[in-house]
Each structure stands twice: as structure tokens, then as C-alpha cells.
Amino acid sequence: MASHGESIIREPLITGKDITYAQITNDILRPVENKPTKAWWIGFTVASLGALLWVVAVSYTFWFGIGAWGLNKTVGWAWDITGFVWWVGIGHAGTLISAVLLLFRQNWRNSINRSAEAMTIFAVICAATYIVAHMGRPWMAVYSLPLPNQYGSLWVNFNSPLIWDVFAISTYFSVSLVFWYTGLLPDIASIRDRASGITRRIYSILSFGWTGSVKTWQRFETVSLILAGISTPLVLSVHTIVSMDFATSLEPGWHTTIFPPYFVAGAIFSGFAMVQTLLLVARKVLGLENYITMFHIESMNKIIILTGSIVGVAYITEFFIAWYSGVEYEQYAFINRATGPYWWAYWSMMSCNVISPQLFWIRKLRLSIPFSWFLSIVVNIGMWFERFVIIVTSLHRDYIPSSWAMFYPTWVEVSIFIGSIGVFFTLFLLFIRVLPSVAMAEVKLLLKGSSEQAKKKVLAHSHVDPAQAEFYKESLEKFDSVEIADYAKL
Amino acid sequence: MESNKKYWKGLEELNKTEEFVELNKNEFAEPIPIEEILSGTGLMNKTPRRSFLKAVGFGVGAVSLAACQKVPVHKSIPYLVKPEEITPGIANYYTSTYDGHAILVKTREGRPIKIEGNPNDLLAKGGLNAMAQSSVLDLYDVNRLQNPSLKGGASSWNEVDSFVKSELAAIKAGGKKIRLVTSTVNSPSTLAVIADFIAAYPNAKHINYDAVSYTGIIQANQNSFGKSVLPHYRFDKADVIVSFGADFLGSWISQAEFMNQYVSNRNAKSLEAKKMSRHIQFESGMSVTGTNADVRIPVKPSEEGVAIINLYNAIAGTTLPGSAKLSNNPSAEKSIMIAAKELLAAKGKALVVAGSNDVATQTLVNAINSLLGSYGNTIDLDNPSKQYAGNDTEINELVADMKAGAVDAVFFLDANPVYDYFKAKEFADALAKVRLKVSFSDHGGNGEGVSTIGDETSSLCNVIAPNHNYLEQWGDANVLEGYYTIVQPAIRPVYNTRQAEESLLIWSDNATKDYYTYVKNNWNKNLLAKGALSGQKGWETLLQTGFVKVADNAAGSYTFSKDLNGVAQTITAQSSKLAAKGDKDIELQVYQSSVMRDGKKANNPWLQELPDPVSKATWENYAAIAPKFAEKLGLEENDVIKITANGYTIEVPVLFQPGQAQGTVSVAVGYGRTLGGPVANGAGQNAFPFLSKENGTFQTSSVATFEKTGNKSILAQTQTHHSYEGRSVIKETSFEKYKKDATSGNAKSKEHKVYTLWDEYERPQYNWVMAIDLNACTGCGACVVACNAENNVPVVGKDEVRRRREMHWIRIDRYYSFNDDGTSAVTREKEINKLDNLDNVSVVYQPMLCQHCDHAPCETVCPVLATVHSSEGLNHMAYNRCIGTRYCANNCPYKVRRFNWFNYWNDSRFDNYLNNEHTQLVLNPDVVTRFRGVMEKCSMCIQRIQAGKLKAKIEKRPLKDGDVKVACQQTCPTNAIVFGNVNDENSEVAKALKSDRTYYVLEELNVQPGIGYQVKVRNTIEQEA
Amino acid sequence: MSSTKFILGLFDDPDNLLDGISKLQKSSVPIYDVYTPMPIHGIEAKLGIKESRLGYAAFIFGCTGGTVAFSMLYYMMVWDWPNNIGGKPNFAIPDFIPITFEWTVLFTAFGMVLTFFYATHLFPGRAPRVMDLRATDDRFVIAIDARGNVPHDDITKILNEAGAVEVKHNEKKYVSYE
């Protein structure tokens, strides 16, 4: 149960006056139980147009062949795998928030994990589409599964990181889905019990008949805990394996043992950036300021500084090792990144991923919503460039100089990437219409202990060390959803 | 004797029962109810309803079924009656001749699918150049003329014959001139036919016209020694070779032959004998020969003559009038002196050649050679070459005559002056004045539909009598004195064409109108005897061996004894004319690229997509300019510039060519066909009009002006980075060093030790590997075309090559390194950019193909096991398992894997040859065509390996070394590529790989490649160069 | 006897709920079940509900997954059709680890969750056995089987004392989903 009488100096996780359990339900279900707003419609139209573009571009590719893209004999992967890794990376924040932060008992996760997990699932869907789309013969994709066949029996190559990918991504996707849906059951039940008619029927089916009896809750908590426990290594393994697509190869610039941790950090980095991008908007549009507070935003920004710096260190380490290894191919690959024909990609990556997050050391920027949002976009761009740099600038000049070539994208692959973003947002917008974008049950847990009003009560009625009280009040100043005035009299 | 056996119908008959006898009286044993039926009572008794319905039902059903049945009409039933010599699946080889080379034509189920050199060929010993390799595709060219045409419309042979004959009769009566314009004819039979034709029409004359002519040399020999012949050069006998712009390893006279001769003094064998020829090249444009030279000095066209004069002076110790120092080309000046020294030292084993077509120049060269005692040793005037006999004066006379209206009939055989005559316009106008214009052109057109107009010249003729492709015809050739080769058909004529000689026979009412008989008679009469053959037996032997050879005449030594002052003056005069004056002026040199030559084969996609050995550009010609000079002019690569000379202008993109003489630009002929067919048309610009006529011969150099157009046109190059960055990809050394230490330049890979983490797999029987000698490879590119033909490699076209998507399984990497101060070679881009003199460029070629690594990186990463290793050390590719993730290609350090970006064999956008049902006949049935989305690469001609194994098995013997030759190895005129089973200690390849020069590309990666390369050795002398 | 089947005590505060439970237990009123919109810790202990054994299930499923994966890899790569792939050994254990791990996780997750659904009778379309519609919203409900129990009024009293905002005497066990 949410920590009774939690120390006063902790910042509140739910703000606002006289919030009741009913209040929470009402606030969170507002978008689900009412007609969509204008803002939603606009967003949805734009997003689905993007999705349409995706359909067109992908169909074009399937019809004519991969030649529709700008790839060549030297650069065999470019925007396709860049996009794949980018999306998988984004996917990581969700699981991380719901699993790792749960294990660390970070209660502030309760109000953001739901939408973060949804984001994970949609991002992984986008990534998966890339796996199929980049194949020369997508209709033969089934060959990548170890199924018995008439070749009696020709299995797949379990030495190939691509096969590890197939297993990792599919496991990751299905486990996240299970985790997410189990968490949804109680909330779907509340929708069900408030709804009527056909809506009730549908949600009744989706709710699996959830009642919220003691035993159910007890098992529910065990399940969540264990799922969190296994999802944590899973999420780490997934990007580790993705990084092995490169690390296990011979390609200078790919063949690097630092890749697994470096990719995971990068994934969390971009993941949190994407969570920011989504929630800062959702918070306003859905009026969830009381549940997704400045405290949440700041905490995520702090994580972005941390992971951003880890990534930065990784970049520098790569360079050092390339020099230290004394391998001329490695050395050239990295010199070429920074000074070669693709220098601009490298330096956009550096400035977006390493330099710009450092701005968050400044408290004022860290607490500015517009700036946080802007920076989250910057980080996402930077992370895209990171993958582009790793893939294209390594490939385009590797061992045999005669094969060195440049890569120029065509409209098709650009459209596929833009389109995949469209697909992602279409799914996300549909999600916030039909399912609670904040985990109600888990937020309700916080009401008694960690909410602003609870703490107000404590301030009013029990004796707290005035120094602590002062500290607490100061900490409230950053909140845009708190009226400091009320604390004057206390 | 008549048998008295009696067969009885049954027991009744045996023991004649009454009723049997009774019944047997009637015709039918049982009575048939005829009466009842006729009287109608038969119809009374009802058919039961059910059986009626059954009947109807069946009837209707059966009828409708029969109606439904669609019976496809199969026009072709292969071998309903199988010709005995053809076994489906087994290739037949027929001897024939291409371009004077004795060849073998490989046919499958009656289709010629590949050309291979006849191992006993005198010229190239079984090797063939790219053009010969590609020639098989011309047979299936859809733009071949399919019918004779009369006055521009399709017609029949009868009409054509009657028309031509009547015309000729009239013309004969009229007495005006008749001219047969052909590119050089050396076929005895054809010459005989022409002789007969002239006999029938006395006012006829035969003119040999070569688009790129060697009149200069022939004339010079006439003037010098009274022998108007093209000598037979013997580079194999030369220890020191000095060439002034003679591209003898490329387009000059006899490529494959000279390659073979030249390399015989530089290959592994000769090196192990501590012997290596020395080759100094003076030229303005960078030619294949230049890239192979030990010392290459760029000289402007205007300096070349003077250089030769100086060389003469240095050797003869005299001073010819008009000789001057090459003040603004000191390195040339210096090198001339060194060359002179070396030539004199190698007297009798020296050879000086010049590419110029100028009589004076060639005369001077003759003088030099005579001083060096080359005649009888390195130059053979008594067994001359007959490859080129063109006479520039005659063609010019013809034009004059036609202008004057003195010519009533012209016949064009394998000649296309309207395209390649230097004053094409003038020629066309003059041609219009001719009454009867007959062309034997066999292909060409604007590429739309079935062509009836043929090439540029035939389109202006009133009769086109399309000739057979050489694979459909009988004939013979005689390229060298005493070397007679036979041409025999490998397939029945594909179209309604007729052999040109036959047409001539018919039109001249010859006694024998059938050319086969004519050839046979001619051989019986004159030639078979030379090979100690006779009669039908002899003829058949000839068809099997493919040629007869008469013992060489003794090569006499000739001494030059003419006065040289006049010569020298003409040369200097000419040179000063060529010198560029103004700053917009530039010295233009027109050359033949070793691939496209004079453009007669421009409609061959294999040739168009074969990168130029030096520039690696495909599908067009360009303005080659030295980088530093271009910098001076403010030009960038791919800028389109306008070049104007001799009142003619073309616009071509700029290509930076290191080694190109400063102040010069080179443009290749053979491009810019307008009626060459869809492939040829619009590929590049025609540079022939840049030629000029000086002192009676065609000259290739002139002063041009140029200007920028502001446009850019990206060249389709297969290689855009030109230095090997000092990587262990290439290893080279100098002959000096090599003599001291055979491992020089390769020391590392010798002390280098290989560790592996795991047990190696067994290669119980065969372990197929390859050895490639970088010193033997001249970069000509024959192997690439051979591979295309053998393995059905798609042609992807200019745009795809621009996108770096060419599909070649074997490519030839060409790297430049530079010698700034004459010490160490500069190979890194960064340092090269700092150099201020890029003239001392040295070039190395490296054939690069799948290395079939024992630890293949591609195999490990393929998700679906589409590429795995065989127990014979080969890296297999299972196309129908591949899903096209392209990971293998990314992970291949050699970047030799090729991806099918599109459906090259049935996508109308790649209408080069694979997706055209006619041209598809050239495909090798032993190799599948690849679908889009799958990876492909060199398979070491696994189909040939299998064939070899099967043959050995059928003959119940173990596979011998040399039984299996892969396509690239088979065609290589210099035997740079050796393939075989390294498990066999005595195999060629095993020996080659033991050489001290052997190294493996990128061996530090421990992918354990199956192809060993041998260090490039240059015969440079350290202090100079 | 009244037709009341179930008595529901509806609380709006978890603490009162706990208080109610203890009060009822003091006066030894058997509690049928408790429905809450969120997990409330300590309540299962109060009601004497045993620890969930899902953890063990999860462990077993995990072991199964790992074993299945590894033996599959061994069968396919080493036993059934060994190939020479880049000259590497067929039994390349390091290469087997990623997939073995993934399947361990996969089996654990699915096995455990399905067990959970099975044990708790959760499956798509199951008619929800809800006693009070607000139990999933903002009410904490104690359900007491009315039959054969101490006089209902006493129960009502106890609940009210404990601070129940509302006490229902239901004649039907579940709210019907017409």
C-alpha cells in the first residue's frame, strides 16, 4: 500500500485540491468516455495521412523491388535498418519505466508507465515492419523461422544475429503486450462498470471478467512483479542483440565490443525522449497535469542527461579504442566518420545527443515544458543520426577502396520512414481514445500517501520539522499545477 | 511353303454342330434386326427413360468436356528427330574464326552460347579479348536486319537480285566506276570472290577502308624497305620496349596476341628466371599499355614527334634538322636519353613502336628500329600481319569520285563511313550522287521495331543485302602470313539473311553460287595443300583443327638507308601545327578505347557495360583531362564541356585522368552512334569527325578549343576511389629488389602465422582455389565479359551503374599511386591531394572476385543458410533460399557480392538483353537466371567443375589438373588466372601458390581466402622514374 | 427471514475498510470477499489468504523454456543437419545463448500469465461476477454472505461504526449484466 505518512520532503506525485478516487477515475477516463476533441481529430487526420504514405511507399517497394531505394553494391543497409534500430530503441523506454522503475520502487512511474508501454508496443510494430520491408523477397520471410520443410529439413542459421533478432523482437513484443494488457485489466473493468450498452459489452469481453477481489489483486501483484523481473533483463537483451547485428560482423566501425551497453543506453535515451514528446502534449490535451506533474517531467529529463552522457562517453571510447587498436581500417573508419563525406551526419549526431542534453543541467531549462519538448525532438533526431552514422558511414568506405561509394536516398525510403512515424501516431492516438492512458489503479495507490492534498493534511494537522516544511514548500514552486498561495497560511 | 495350319473359331467349329453350320450360312452369326428398323417397328420399342438420360447426359458432358479442352500449340518440339551429334545437356564445340583468332564455338542444343579461344591459336594461344568474348551476343541481336530491303522497304532476295543485276548490267554498259568498300579483308575466299566480281565487272575496284587506319605504317614500310605491309611485331622477343602512343595492349593492331607476347617476358615464369622486359611508354592519353609500362612519360601530341627525333639523335648520335629540346617537358627529355641508353644496350632485343598514323613519323621509327637491329628479331617484315590493309588515299579518292558523279555503284561490306569517315557529312552528300548503293550491313537501326534501314551508311543505300553473322557463315581468314583459319557456321541462319560473298557471286553470275562450295573449292585448290592436307579427309581434318599453318619465312633483317632530313622537317612542321597557342586552346587526341574500338560493336550491351580498363567508365565517352590542368581551367569532374576542333563540336563530361599530359584532352571514338541499335544509340558522342587528313593519312590529334556548358552529367563509373590507401590489398615491389629477394614487398605475409580457434573442416578430395598474378594481368577486362557470358550476369544499364549497382561477378580494380620525387609511392588520398605533380602515376590492376574464404564472413551472418561452405572449399549460394537481407554483402570485406535490385530479366526498364526472348537464347542453360531480391556472386563456375567431374567419371579416370578451366581463366590472354585443386601437389595452382610472391588480400582478417595474389613487380630503376 | 442474500459494506477509504474487516472479525462475522479498485496491502493477511504460488509456476516455465530452446538449437544445428557455416564449429554454444535466453523469458511470461488467468478464471468474454459497480471505481466493498449469519442489523451496525458510507442488503448475488 502506498507509503502511509511518507516523509514530507518528498515531492507530491499527484497534485490538485480535494482529489478523490472518483475524481481520478473521472479525470483519466474523460477522453475515453467522451467524444474526441478537435485537437484529436486534427492529429489523427495528419497521422493517418502519414500512415497512408507508408502504405504507398511500401507497396511501391514490394512491386518494383528494393532497387526503388538508394542502396548499392557497397551500402546494403541505410534508412531501412536505421529506421529499424531507431524504432526498437524508442520501444525500450516503456518496458524500462514499467519494469525497472517498478523494481526500484519508483512510484512516480505509476502515472506514466501505461502510455510508455503502449508507445513501446507501437514502436516495436514499426520496427518489425522494417524487418520485413527491407528483405529482397519479403514473401519468403517465413524462411527465417525454423520450420520443417521439404528440404528435409533445412533449418535456419542460429549463428546469425539476424535470427537472434527474430527471436528477440518477437519475444520482446509479445511479452510487452502481455505485461501491458494484464496491467490494463482492472482499468478496463472500471470502464466496463461505468459504461452501458454495447460499450459495456465490448469492455466486458476485454476485461476478462475482472472483479477486483482480494485474491485476484494478490495474484495480480505477484504477476506484475515477476513480469517486471524478467522484462528487465529482456529489455537489456533485446537491444544487446540488435547491437550484435553490427558487433558480430567484420565491418570496421561495427565490429565493436562496446556496442551492447552503448546501444542499450542509447535506446533508453531515445525512449525517454519519445515519452517526453508524447506526454508533454498528452498531459495538456487530456488535462492530466495533476497526474503527470513537473516532478515527472524533471525526473525524465534527469534520466535523459544521464543516458545522454553515457552515450557521449561511448562515442569517445569508440574513437579511443579505434586509435588504440592500431588497426588501420578501424582508424580510418572513425576518422572518416568525423571528417569524411558524411561529416555532417556525424556532427549532427554529436551535437544532438551529447551536447544538447547537457543543457538540462540548468534547472530553469529542465523545468521549462516547451524546452523539454523541443529537446526531446532534438534527441530523437540525434539518435536517428547515430544509427545512420554507424550504418552508412561504416559501410560506404570499408576495406577495399575500389568499392567505396556514396549513398543517396530516394523518395521511397524517405516516405517509408516518415510514413512509419505516421503509423506510430495513428496507433497511439487510437490508444488514448479507447484505453486509459494512465494506470488508474496504480495512481489511486498514491492518493493517500504521496498526493499533494495528503501532504497538506500532514502539514496542517501534525507536527513537522519547520525546516522540512519549508523545504517542501520550496520544492512545490516548480509545479505548474500547484497553487503556492494555499501554503502561505500553513 | 504355304502353311496348312487351320484356326477354328471355337469348339462349335471344331466339332461342327448343326446350328453352327446353319448359322454359318449367313453373313452374321446372330441375326441383326435390319428389317424391323427399316419397317420402323424397331423404333417402336422404347428406350428406357433412364438409359436415354444417361446417353444424353454422357453425350452433352463429353461434348462440353471436349469443347473445354484447350490444346496449346507447341510450335517448337525440340529434336522430334534428334540430330545424332547433339545430346541435350552436352555442349558441342565447333572450330571457327573471329577477328583472325582460331576459336571454339560452344553450342548447346544447337545454340552458340559462348566463344572460347582455340588452344592452338597462333595469336593468343587460346586467349581472347573482351570483344571476341562478347561477339556471340551479336548473333542474337534483335536489331539485326531480318530481310533484304530495297529502296528502304523490306523486300525479297529475288527482287533484290534482279534489281541489282539489272542495275549492274546497265552500269557496266555505262562504264562508270563500281567500288567495293570494305574494312580490311584478309579472307582468301572473300578476296577471291571480290576478284571474280571485278573480273565480271571490270570497272569495279576494291577499297579497304579502316575507320582507324594503319596506312602510316604500311606506307612507311613501303618508303623505307619497299614492302607495303603491316609488320608482325614480336613483343615476346623484346627486352626493351619503347612505345610512342602505341596502345599495343589495348586497341593497337592485335590486342590479345600482343598481350600474350608482352606478358611472356613479365609473368611468374620469366620472373623466376630473373628475367623481365622493360617497357617505357610516351603518350598523351592514359592507355591500358601506359598503365602497364614500367616508366610512363606523358607527352603532348605536339611533343611526340620531337621526342622521337630526339630519340633518333640520341641513338644515331646525329642531329636531325629541326630537332629541339623538349624545354617544357624535362622529364620526357630525361627519359628519352635513358630510353636511348637502354635500347642501345639491348640491341637486337629492342623494339620501338609508335601509334601515329603519320608516314613520316613511322619512317623515322623504322630508322630507329633499323639502328637497333630490330628487323629480323623483334619486327618481322617477311611474315607480315594482314589485320589492317586500309588505304586512306583510296577512300578519299572515292569521295572525290562520288562528288564528281564518276561512281555509279558502291558496295559497303562491314564498312560504315557515314558514321566513321572523318567528313561523314561530305561522304553522305557525295553518296547521294551514286546510282546503286548496296550495303551488306547486318544490324543497326533506330531501335524501334524490326529494323529495315540498318546502320548509318546502309540507311542511305537503296539496297541492303544483310550479311550473315559470322556464326552463321562459311569463310576463312588469314591474319598472318601463312596462318589460314576456317570459319564454319555453328547455327543455321536465324533470319532471312545471306552471306555477302554469296550475294556477290550471284550478282556476278559466278559458276559456283553457293559460297560453301566456293570456299571448299578454294581450299582444295590453294590452301589445304599448305597444311599437307587434301581431299574430303583433309577438309574434315581442317574443320576439326580449325586452321593450317605454313612454316614461317625466314625473317630477314632490313637496314634503313633513306634520307631523313625531309622526314624530320615534316614531323617538326606537323608538331608545331599541333601545339596549342591560346589559353582556350587545348591539344585534342582522339583514341580508340580498348573496349569499344571503332564502334562497329557498339550495340553490344556486354561491351557497353564493360568498364574502360583505365577510367572505369561505362556506356559513354568523355573528355579525359589531367586533374591539375583541369584545376587550372576551373573544371570539375562530370562538368559537361563543349569541345570544338576541325569545325566540329561535341559536348562530353569531363573525367579526371591522372597521367594525361598537361594541356591535352583525350576523347574516344566508337561512341555516339545514331543508327547503331537501341543499345548503341545515344551512348556518348561521335568523335570521328575530329580526325583530320594530313600528308595523305588520317591524323588523330588536332588543336581544339573548349568551353564550359555549365551542365553536369555524372559518368557511370564502376570505381570512384582510385588509391589503395597503402593497404595490404595491393603489394608491389621493383624488379631490382625482387632479384635480390624474391619475397620483397611480401615479407610480412611470409612470417605471418595463422591461428584458428576451432578445427578446420575436411576437404577430402578437392579444394578449389585460384592464383592471380598481378604482374600478368594487364587489366583488359576479357575475363569480365567471359564471366558475363558464362554465368548469365545481367546488364543493368547506365543509370544503374551510376547508382553503383553493376552486377559483374568479377571486376578489375584499378589503383593509382603517385611518385612525387621518384622515391616512395604515395598511395593515400590525403597525401595525394597534397601533391602538386600527378604526372608520375603508376597503376596496378587487381581482378577481384569472390574469394571463397574458408572462414567466410558472409556465411556466418546469413539468417537462412542460403550461403554455406562446400566440402570442396567453395562458398555456395542457394538463390532460391535467399530472402535478400543483404547482410552477407555488408559483411563481405571484398564487396564482391551482387544483389538483384530489380528483376533484371523481366523488367521492361532493363531491356538490355536478358528480358528479350530472342537474346535470351544466349543464356547458358547450366546457370539459372536470378530473381529480384536475391544475392549472387562468383561460383567459381561450379557448372564447369561439375561438368569436368562428370567427364572424368564417364571416362573412368581421376580428374586431371587443367580439366576444369573457369571462364575468366580460360579467356585470359596472359594466363594471369590459374585455377585448380590445391590438394593435388603438382597442380599448376598449387605450384603458383607456393611462389614467394603469393599473398592473400586482407589476410590479417583470417577469413582465409581461397584466392592468392602474386606481388606486382615493376621494372623501375630507382634513381629515375 | 429476509430474502437478503448478501450484505455489502461500501467504504470510501481503505483504512476504514481495514477497520471494518477487523471489527467484523472481532464479532466473528465470516467475510465472503472484499472488492477494491486497487490492491490494498495487508488485507490478504487479515483475511488469512495464502501466499500466491505463481512464482514457482513461473520458475518451472522458465526452466522448460530454456531447455526446449537449447535442445532445439542442438537438434537443428548439430544433430539433424550440420553445415559448414563460415568454417565455425556446429556446436557453437555462445551462439546458442541469446535464443535460449529469449525463450526462457517467453515461456516464463506466457506460462505464468496464462496460469494466473486460469487460476483466477479470467478469460475473454467471461461474465464479470461483480457485486457492486463502484467496486472498480471508488468504493472499497466488504461482502458478507447473509444467510445463516448473525442478525443483519448487527452487521449493518458494525459496518456503519467502521465508517461505511453505505450498506447494501442485496437480494441478488451479482449485479446482472442484462
Side-chain angles (χ1 to χ4, degrees), chain B residues 638-712:
Chain B
N638 300 318
D639 281 351
V640 177
I641 59 166
K642 200 181 269 177
I643 303 176
T644 312
N646 308 342
Y648 174 74
T649 306
I650 59 169
E651 292 186 0
V652 283
V654 169
L655 176 128
F656 282 6
Q657 180 58 65
Q660 178 86 21
Q662 305 294 327
T664 68
V665 57
S666 293
V667 181
V669 297
Y671 291 90
R673 296 286 302 269
T674 52
L675 290 175
V679 178
N681 296 347
Q685 300 294 325
N686 184 2
F688 273 111
F690 282 141
L691 296 181
S692 56
K693 194 164 117 294
E694 301 291 346
N695 314 330
T697 58
F698 295 137
Q699 300 303 323
T700 53
S701 318
S702 47
V703 177
T705 63
F706 80 96
E707 57 183 298
K708 276 201 253 181
T709 59
N711 314 342
K712 265 190 182 296

Side-chain angles (χ1 to χ4, degrees), chain A residues 61-67 69 130-144 150-151 154, chain B residues 862-866 877-886 899-903 905 928-936:
Chain A
T61 312
F62 282 7
W63 185 259
F64 288 109
I66 298 296
W69 301 353
Y130 266 116
I131 297 184
V132 179
H134 97 288
M135 290 180 182
R137 300 201 300 166
W139 54 92
M140 290 300 182
V142 65
Y143 280 173
S144 60
Q150 72 275 37
Y151 302 110
L154 178 54
Chain B
C862 173
V864 294
L865 290 173
M877 186 68 221
Y879 303 126
N880 54 2
R881 176 70 174 174
C882 176
I883 58 174
T885 64
R886 303 183 295 290
F899 187 67
N900 285 271
W901 301 102
F902 293 108
N903 229 358
W905 56 268
V928 296
T929 55
R930 279 74 61 181
F931 192 67
R932 88 153 139 104
V934 307
M935 194 59 73
E936 63 183 63

Side-chain angles (χ1 to χ4, degrees), chain A residues 178-258:
Chain A
V178 167
F179 198 176
W180 182 63
Y181 199 79
T182 322
L184 264 167
L185 285 175
D187 291 0
I188 295 177
S190 352
I191 303 176
R192 173 196 67 198
D193 293 345
R194 289 158 59 99
S196 62
I198 181 72
T199 331
R200 163 175 284 187
R201 273 225 183 67
I202 295 165
Y203 283 99
S204 159
I205 294 167
L206 296 178
S207 71
F208 287 20
W210 177 276
T211 55
S213 72
V214 179
K215 189 73 189 164
T216 323
W217 276 120
Q218 181 206 25
R219 290 183 176 138
F220 176 86
E221 293 223 292
T222 326
V223 168
S224 331
L225 192 66
I226 296 176
L227 277 180
I230 56 172
S231 303
T232 308
L234 175 64
V235 69
L236 300 184
S237 80
V238 170
H239 226 55
T240 301
I241 288 174
V242 169
S243 79
M244 286 172 177
D245 289 349
F246 307 102
T248 61
S249 79
L250 271 182
E251 196 68 8
W254 286 11
H255 183 62
T256 320
T257 45
I258 196 180

